[in-house]
Amino acid sequence: MSEFLVIVESPAKAKTIERYLGKKYKVKASMGHVRDLPRSQMGVNVENSYEPKYITIRGKGPVLKELKTAAKKAKKVYLAADPDREGEAIAWHLANSLNVDITSDCRVVFNEITKEAIKESFKHPRPINMDLVDAQQARRILDRLVGYNISPLLWKKVKKGLSAGRVQSTAVRLIIERENEIKAFIPEEYWTIEGELLKGKDHFSAAYFSLANKEKTELKSKQDVEEILKQMEGDNFKVVSVTKKERKRNPSPPFITSSLQQEAARKLNFRAKKTMMLAQQLYEGIELGSSGTVGLITYMRTDSTRISEVAQKEAEEYILSEYGKEYLKEDQRKEKKQTNAQDAHEGIRPTSAVRDPNSLKQFLSRDQLRLYKLIWERFLASQMAQAVMDTMSVDLQNGNVLFRATGSKIKFPGFMKLYVEGSDDQVEERDKMLPNLQEGDVVFKKDIEPKQHFTQPPPRYTEARLVRTLEELGIGRPSTYAPTLDTIQKRGYVALDNKRFIPTELGEIVNELILEFFPDIINVDFTAKMEQDLDNVEDGKVRWVEIIDGFYQEFEKHLVIAEKEMQSVEIKDEPAGEDCELCTSPMVFKMGRYGKFMACSNFPDCRNTKAIVKEIGVTCPKCKEGNIIERKSKKKRIFYGCDTFPACEFISWDKPLPRACPKCEGTLVEKKLKKGVQVQCTECDYKEEPQS
């Protein structure tokens, strides 16, 4: 008989840990939560201090029965769920179900699934931390009060199957506001003057900076440019100042949940959900031949960049042997501590720095390997020396006009030898060398080219951008980002277009209703303050009931008003403009779980449905009468054409945009690049910066 029972969340983890602990230990999996609030009712007694009513989750009865039987046979039960709020709550629910004393040393936490970490954690068991449990309970009850009060209203007034929530509704609001910004955006013209200059045979670029008295003149029109050009004399430029500086650049810290999701989206093109699924697999353990199952990374839900001394030491030794002493980090830079970071956690790192990606090729799937490589490189780079850049800034004068040339080169690559963080704007850092220029030197003009530009609207949110924005605003926590993005798409509030979020008609209707009747729910500051309050519960600074009560007293008033005043919104079936080929009744557009589709109006007598040709809100640029619709070729490739076809034969592989080219009033299209898209004109040379 096993003397000790250890309960973890997943079977994969159980298998690995049991092997590390030996024969005296039996490790079983709870398969996540075993108790929760009931799905069929609110399950929160608002009259009695918001007491939650927990029941065994449907289907978890046999799991719980098996755990109870094993617990009775064991001398001691250890609860080893994940090391966060959610994990603490799971441990508490298990303790309640298995009659384990929560004040006893029954809770074991570890940040990585390695033999050393597991054995060490079992030397330091602790009681269940009720502050952490209360923080999770408060979040769960808060979300239940919001969801189970607003959702039925939306079902009654709009459509069945809708839902609202603190984080999801705020995320939808951000997407809608961004779309409104784009629609309202008016491009403004501005100009630059670029020069190609020669010193001997060396070419280099410079751009208009200011007038000689350092008076900056904004170039808003061609006329402004001509005014500047009038003040230039001849082809000679004199070097009037040379500034040389050494610029140091620090590596990025190790990943936290949000930065991992963002970087995996930029560099690997992974959705947030996929990133978290792969990270979970790497954390729980991968079969490595004779070594057995090994956890390859630390826990992936964290908002701390802290790294243990052991891991730092190991990284140091690896860098020393592979790159040399000069690549070692001079001192352990003090990482900026997140105010709300749970410091029990570490940043996301490999469990062993020595385990480089090449050594794991044969054991990992392609995507597992790519994500592991990203985590491994980022962590190693964070422990390496700064990169050193030599920068040079040169002012050149012609007549009354100053041009400026800048150049830089890598003096010492440091961490950049291994890894450089991606950017949303896809700007690559390249060496930009200038010739050896000294004050008093004279260089010659090869070419002067004025260029017209237009300001650009803000970009739509990609998953990575939205996660970053939510994090910056203090909304949601590491564990909530991926499920939130998933929920708002499943509900049909937003859709992805070229990997960018656009709101749907349904999303806009629901947002308007919540904005009118429950403004706090989607108020960014309010939602962020609520997250802070929950963190205060976790720190033991405030009782969870007080937080809930403070919210609910106000919320209930809004609820009463909404019940009375919220008007029913009928989402009418739009006529599709064609008849059913089976019964000749008119076809209509309907809103389904996966967006709009076409169905016969004679339902249920006729059940004919078909995919719709999707309008994109753009008038045909050729005939000016029809609307551009999205179509699919025989090979399922999307293209765009006029809905009056064959009368109008307009066709485009690139998606036309509703705004006209600011330069020539021509048609703007979204051109797909390898990574991202670029807006450009079909009739002139106008191009906007690519968006990743």
mmCIF file of all heavy atoms in Angstrom, residues 269-295:
data_model
loop_
_atom_site.group_PDB
_atom_site.id
_atom_site.type_symbol
_atom_site.label_atom_id
_atom_site.label_comp_id
_atom_site.label_asym_id
_atom_site.label_seq_id
_atom_site.Cartn_x
_atom_site.Cartn_y
_atom_site.Cartn_z
ATOM 1 N N ASN A 269 3.469 33.041 -35.542
ATOM 2 C CA ASN A 269 2.116 33.110 -36.099
ATOM 3 C C ASN A 269 1.131 32.219 -35.341
ATOM 4 O O ASN A 269 0.196 31.675 -35.924
ATOM 5 C CB ASN A 269 2.153 32.701 -37.591
ATOM 6 C CG ASN A 269 1.241 33.563 -38.418
ATOM 7 O OD1 ASN A 269 0.662 34.519 -37.905
ATOM 8 N ND2 ASN A 269 1.079 33.231 -39.665
ATOM 9 N N PHE A 270 1.337 32.037 -34.046
ATOM 10 C CA PHE A 270 0.461 31.199 -33.219
ATOM 11 C C PHE A 270 -0.658 32.039 -32.612
ATOM 12 O O PHE A 270 -0.440 33.165 -32.182
ATOM 13 C CB PHE A 270 1.238 30.562 -32.056
ATOM 14 C CG PHE A 270 2.169 29.438 -32.422
ATOM 15 C CD1 PHE A 270 2.974 28.830 -31.451
ATOM 16 C CD2 PHE A 270 2.246 28.971 -33.720
ATOM 17 C CE1 PHE A 270 3.834 27.803 -31.775
ATOM 18 C CE2 PHE A 270 3.111 27.928 -34.052
ATOM 19 C CZ PHE A 270 3.911 27.359 -33.071
ATOM 20 N N ARG A 271 -1.871 31.454 -32.549
ATOM 21 C CA ARG A 271 -2.957 32.056 -31.794
ATOM 22 C C ARG A 271 -2.676 31.871 -30.299
ATOM 23 O O ARG A 271 -1.978 30.934 -29.905
ATOM 24 C CB ARG A 271 -4.281 31.372 -32.164
ATOM 25 C CG ARG A 271 -4.629 31.407 -33.662
ATOM 26 C CD ARG A 271 -5.334 32.692 -34.038
ATOM 27 N NE ARG A 271 -6.554 32.898 -33.277
ATOM 28 C CZ ARG A 271 -7.742 32.403 -33.640
ATOM 29 N NH1 ARG A 271 -7.877 31.698 -34.752
ATOM 30 N NH2 ARG A 271 -8.803 32.655 -32.921
ATOM 31 N N ALA A 272 -3.277 32.755 -29.466
ATOM 32 C CA ALA A 272 -3.037 32.689 -28.009
ATOM 33 C C ALA A 272 -3.390 31.310 -27.454
ATOM 34 O O ALA A 272 -2.668 30.738 -26.633
ATOM 35 C CB ALA A 272 -3.850 33.776 -27.310
ATOM 36 N N LYS A 273 -4.520 30.764 -27.922
ATOM 37 C CA LYS A 273 -4.997 29.465 -27.435
ATOM 38 C C LYS A 273 -3.979 28.356 -27.744
ATOM 39 O O LYS A 273 -3.684 27.498 -26.909
ATOM 40 C CB LYS A 273 -6.342 29.150 -28.112
ATOM 41 C CG LYS A 273 -7.083 27.969 -27.528
ATOM 42 C CD LYS A 273 -8.423 27.820 -28.257
ATOM 43 C CE LYS A 273 -9.160 26.559 -27.739
ATOM 44 N NZ LYS A 273 -10.451 26.404 -28.513
ATOM 45 N N LYS A 274 -3.422 28.407 -28.967
ATOM 46 C CA LYS A 274 -2.440 27.401 -29.386
ATOM 47 C C LYS A 274 -1.159 27.511 -28.553
ATOM 48 O O LYS A 274 -0.606 26.499 -28.110
ATOM 49 C CB LYS A 274 -2.114 27.574 -30.876
ATOM 50 C CG LYS A 274 -1.108 26.548 -31.402
ATOM 51 C CD LYS A 274 -0.907 26.688 -32.906
ATOM 52 C CE LYS A 274 0.100 25.671 -33.413
ATOM 53 N NZ LYS A 274 0.200 25.697 -34.894
ATOM 54 N N THR A 275 -0.703 28.748 -28.338
ATOM 55 C CA THR A 275 0.505 28.973 -27.537
ATOM 56 C C THR A 275 0.342 28.353 -26.158
ATOM 57 O O THR A 275 1.239 27.659 -25.665
ATOM 58 C CB THR A 275 0.795 30.485 -27.418
ATOM 59 O OG1 THR A 275 0.985 31.009 -28.733
ATOM 60 C CG2 THR A 275 2.024 30.770 -26.582
ATOM 61 N N MET A 276 -0.806 28.590 -25.513
ATOM 62 C CA MET A 276 -1.026 28.082 -24.151
ATOM 63 C C MET A 276 -1.139 26.557 -24.128
ATOM 64 O O MET A 276 -0.687 25.913 -23.183
ATOM 65 C CB MET A 276 -2.270 28.733 -23.527
ATOM 66 C CG MET A 276 -2.121 30.232 -23.268
ATOM 67 S SD MET A 276 -0.589 30.690 -22.457
ATOM 68 C CE MET A 276 -0.924 30.139 -20.778
ATOM 69 N N MET A 277 -1.747 26.000 -25.163
ATOM 70 C CA MET A 277 -1.879 24.532 -25.229
ATOM 71 C C MET A 277 -0.495 23.869 -25.342
ATOM 72 O O MET A 277 -0.180 22.898 -24.637
ATOM 73 C CB MET A 277 -2.752 24.156 -26.431
ATOM 74 C CG MET A 277 -2.967 22.669 -26.606
ATOM 75 S SD MET A 277 -3.757 22.302 -28.188
ATOM 76 C CE MET A 277 -2.347 22.495 -29.324
ATOM 77 N N LEU A 278 0.356 24.430 -26.226
ATOM 78 C CA LEU A 278 1.705 23.875 -26.410
ATOM 79 C C LEU A 278 2.555 24.070 -25.149
ATOM 80 O O LEU A 278 3.291 23.175 -24.738
ATOM 81 C CB LEU A 278 2.399 24.544 -27.613
ATOM 82 C CG LEU A 278 1.820 24.218 -28.992
ATOM 83 C CD1 LEU A 278 2.360 25.188 -30.031
ATOM 84 C CD2 LEU A 278 2.137 22.784 -29.409
ATOM 85 N N ALA A 279 2.427 25.255 -24.528
ATOM 86 C CA ALA A 279 3.188 25.540 -23.302
ATOM 87 C C ALA A 279 2.786 24.562 -22.197
ATOM 88 O O ALA A 279 3.632 24.075 -21.447
ATOM 89 C CB ALA A 279 2.956 26.984 -22.865
ATOM 90 N N GLN A 280 1.489 24.254 -22.116
ATOM 91 C CA GLN A 280 0.989 23.292 -21.123
ATOM 92 C C GLN A 280 1.663 21.932 -21.329
ATOM 93 O O GLN A 280 2.101 21.291 -20.371
ATOM 94 C CB GLN A 280 -0.539 23.150 -21.266
ATOM 95 C CG GLN A 280 -1.184 22.245 -20.221
ATOM 96 C CD GLN A 280 -1.638 22.976 -18.982
ATOM 97 O OE1 GLN A 280 -2.012 24.127 -19.029
ATOM 98 N NE2 GLN A 280 -1.581 22.297 -17.823
ATOM 99 N N GLN A 281 1.758 21.505 -22.583
ATOM 100 C CA GLN A 281 2.401 20.212 -22.898
ATOM 101 C C GLN A 281 3.869 20.211 -22.491
ATOM 102 O O GLN A 281 4.362 19.243 -21.911
ATOM 103 C CB GLN A 281 2.274 19.903 -24.403
ATOM 104 C CG GLN A 281 0.837 19.660 -24.851
ATOM 105 C CD GLN A 281 0.670 19.754 -26.372
ATOM 106 O OE1 GLN A 281 1.634 19.947 -27.110
ATOM 107 N NE2 GLN A 281 -0.570 19.635 -26.839
ATOM 108 N N LEU A 282 4.566 21.307 -22.781
ATOM 109 C CA LEU A 282 5.991 21.398 -22.442
ATOM 110 C C LEU A 282 6.182 21.422 -20.925
ATOM 111 O O LEU A 282 7.147 20.885 -20.394
ATOM 112 C CB LEU A 282 6.618 22.657 -23.063
ATOM 113 C CG LEU A 282 6.674 22.709 -24.595
ATOM 114 C CD1 LEU A 282 7.119 24.098 -25.071
ATOM 115 C CD2 LEU A 282 7.594 21.648 -25.172
ATOM 116 N N TYR A 283 5.244 22.042 -20.214
ATOM 117 C CA TYR A 283 5.320 22.128 -18.751
ATOM 118 C C TYR A 283 5.052 20.767 -18.110
ATOM 119 O O TYR A 283 5.764 20.337 -17.202
ATOM 120 C CB TYR A 283 4.321 23.179 -18.245
ATOM 121 C CG TYR A 283 4.054 23.124 -16.754
ATOM 122 C CD1 TYR A 283 5.045 23.459 -15.836
ATOM 123 C CD2 TYR A 283 2.796 22.732 -16.257
ATOM 124 C CE1 TYR A 283 4.798 23.395 -14.460
ATOM 125 C CE2 TYR A 283 2.547 22.673 -14.896
ATOM 126 C CZ TYR A 283 3.551 22.995 -14.003
ATOM 127 O OH TYR A 283 3.305 22.940 -12.651
ATOM 128 N N GLU A 284 3.991 20.085 -18.593
ATOM 129 C CA GLU A 284 3.583 18.826 -17.945
ATOM 130 C C GLU A 284 4.556 17.685 -18.223
ATOM 131 O O GLU A 284 4.654 16.736 -17.474
ATOM 132 C CB GLU A 284 2.169 18.450 -18.385
ATOM 133 C CG GLU A 284 1.143 19.397 -17.762
ATOM 134 C CD GLU A 284 -0.287 18.979 -17.998
ATOM 135 O OE1 GLU A 284 -0.523 18.070 -18.825
ATOM 136 O OE2 GLU A 284 -1.181 19.551 -17.356
ATOM 137 N N GLY A 285 5.266 17.751 -19.296
ATOM 138 C CA GLY A 285 6.306 16.738 -19.517
ATOM 139 C C GLY A 285 6.220 16.078 -20.886
ATOM 140 O O GLY A 285 5.142 15.792 -21.403
ATOM 141 N N ILE A 286 7.381 15.850 -21.460
ATOM 142 C CA ILE A 286 7.514 15.209 -22.766
ATOM 143 C C ILE A 286 8.404 13.983 -22.594
ATOM 144 O O ILE A 286 9.396 14.006 -21.871
ATOM 145 C CB ILE A 286 8.164 16.188 -23.798
ATOM 146 C CG1 ILE A 286 7.317 17.467 -23.956
ATOM 147 C CG2 ILE A 286 8.403 15.501 -25.137
ATOM 148 C CD1 ILE A 286 6.024 17.366 -24.702
ATOM 149 N N GLU A 287 8.034 12.893 -23.260
ATOM 150 C CA GLU A 287 8.822 11.662 -23.225
ATOM 151 C C GLU A 287 10.148 11.875 -23.964
ATOM 152 O O GLU A 287 10.176 12.134 -25.156
ATOM 153 C CB GLU A 287 8.010 10.537 -23.898
ATOM 154 C CG GLU A 287 8.566 9.143 -23.680
ATOM 155 C CD GLU A 287 8.364 8.599 -22.274
ATOM 156 O OE1 GLU A 287 7.262 8.790 -21.705
ATOM 157 O OE2 GLU A 287 9.332 8.013 -21.787
ATOM 158 N N LEU A 288 11.273 11.790 -23.211
ATOM 159 C CA LEU A 288 12.587 12.005 -23.830
ATOM 160 C C LEU A 288 13.398 10.714 -23.852
ATOM 161 O O LEU A 288 14.451 10.581 -23.232
ATOM 162 C CB LEU A 288 13.387 13.089 -23.074
ATOM 163 C CG LEU A 288 12.786 14.491 -22.965
ATOM 164 C CD1 LEU A 288 13.753 15.441 -22.280
ATOM 165 C CD2 LEU A 288 12.399 15.066 -24.321
ATOM 166 N N GLY A 289 12.920 9.706 -24.542
ATOM 167 C CA GLY A 289 13.651 8.424 -24.678
ATOM 168 C C GLY A 289 13.991 7.824 -23.327
ATOM 169 O O GLY A 289 13.131 7.682 -22.436
ATOM 170 N N SER A 290 15.251 7.517 -23.122
ATOM 171 C CA SER A 290 15.696 6.832 -21.897
ATOM 172 C C SER A 290 15.561 7.702 -20.642
ATOM 173 O O SER A 290 15.530 7.203 -19.521
ATOM 174 C CB SER A 290 17.163 6.388 -22.045
ATOM 175 O OG SER A 290 17.968 7.541 -22.318
ATOM 176 N N SER A 291 15.470 9.022 -20.833
ATOM 177 C CA SER A 291 15.322 9.922 -19.666
ATOM 178 C C SER A 291 13.903 9.879 -19.098
ATOM 179 O O SER A 291 13.629 10.460 -18.030
ATOM 180 C CB SER A 291 15.655 11.365 -20.051
ATOM 181 O OG SER A 291 16.905 11.474 -20.647
ATOM 182 N N GLY A 292 12.968 9.251 -19.814
ATOM 183 C CA GLY A 292 11.569 9.217 -19.392
ATOM 184 C C GLY A 292 10.881 10.548 -19.652
ATOM 185 O O GLY A 292 11.343 11.363 -20.455
ATOM 186 N N THR A 293 9.752 10.794 -18.954
ATOM 187 C CA THR A 293 8.989 12.028 -19.143
ATOM 188 C C THR A 293 9.630 13.168 -18.340
ATOM 189 O O THR A 293 9.872 13.022 -17.142
ATOM 190 C CB THR A 293 7.518 11.840 -18.716
ATOM 191 O OG1 THR A 293 7.009 10.687 -19.359
ATOM 192 C CG2 THR A 293 6.675 13.029 -19.106
ATOM 193 N N VAL A 294 9.883 14.277 -19.016
ATOM 194 C CA VAL A 294 10.546 15.414 -18.359
ATOM 195 C C VAL A 294 9.761 16.700 -18.645
ATOM 196 O O VAL A 294 9.395 16.968 -19.792
ATOM 197 C CB VAL A 294 12.008 15.570 -18.886
ATOM 198 C CG1 VAL A 294 12.684 16.782 -18.255
ATOM 199 C CG2 VAL A 294 12.818 14.301 -18.631
ATOM 200 N N GLY A 295 9.517 17.465 -17.586
ATOM 201 C CA GLY A 295 8.919 18.794 -17.767
ATOM 202 C C GLY A 295 9.990 19.729 -18.324
ATOM 203 O O GLY A 295 11.066 19.862 -17.747
#
